[in-house]
Amino acid sequence: MSKVPKYKIKSRIWITTDEGTFLGAGRITLLEAIETYGSISKAAKSMKMSYKKAWGLVNSINSQSKEPIVRPITGGKNGGGSSVSEAGKKAILLFKKLDEENRMLLDEKIKNLDF
């Protein structure tokens, strides 16, 4: 008698515009790292990503948003950095909620499949 496998459906969410990807799991991880480290450079390093790539992603996100998602912090004793705006924090929460709802929907759908 063979073991009955437990099936799963995997899916990834991307929010796009006519310009391309606006938000996806990797971009959300980058935004969270910027929020944690207060710097695009430090966030990129924590993700083993080049600063150039991280800056490009942040620039892409900001250019597709109604208002800045990541804002520069100028000067100060530490020489500045970056912060995630309130709009950015809202975007992170909404993306995570969409992702979780998608996962829950697919988990429910797989229960109804009979292979």
Side-chain angles (χ1 to χ4, degrees), residues 32-107:
E32 290 174 323
I34 292 168
E35 195 170 18
T36 299
Y37 295 103
S39 155
I40 296 172
S41 177
K42 290 177 185 174
K45 186 178 272 188
S46 77
M47 296 176 67
K48 297 179 177 38
M49 176 188 294
S50 74
Y51 174 77
K52 183 178 179 181
K53 171 140 178 136
W55 173 250
L57 293 172
V58 167
N59 193 39
S60 172
I61 293 166
N62 277 344
S63 72
Q64 295 180 76
S65 180
K66 293 178 189 173
E67 57 187 275
I69 299 296
V70 176
R71 295 180 187 255
I73 301 171
T74 55
K77 66 178 182 174
N78 297 323
S82 297
S83 68
V84 177
S85 68
E86 287 304 313
K89 291 174 184 176
K90 183 178 178 183
I92 291 169
L93 291 173
L94 289 173
F95 183 88
K96 286 183 156 195
K97 183 177 181 193
L98 273 173
D99 194 48
E100 177 64 15
E101 288 175 358
N102 180 57
R103 187 190 59 73
M104 289 170 45
L105 173 70
L106 295 176
D107 285 350

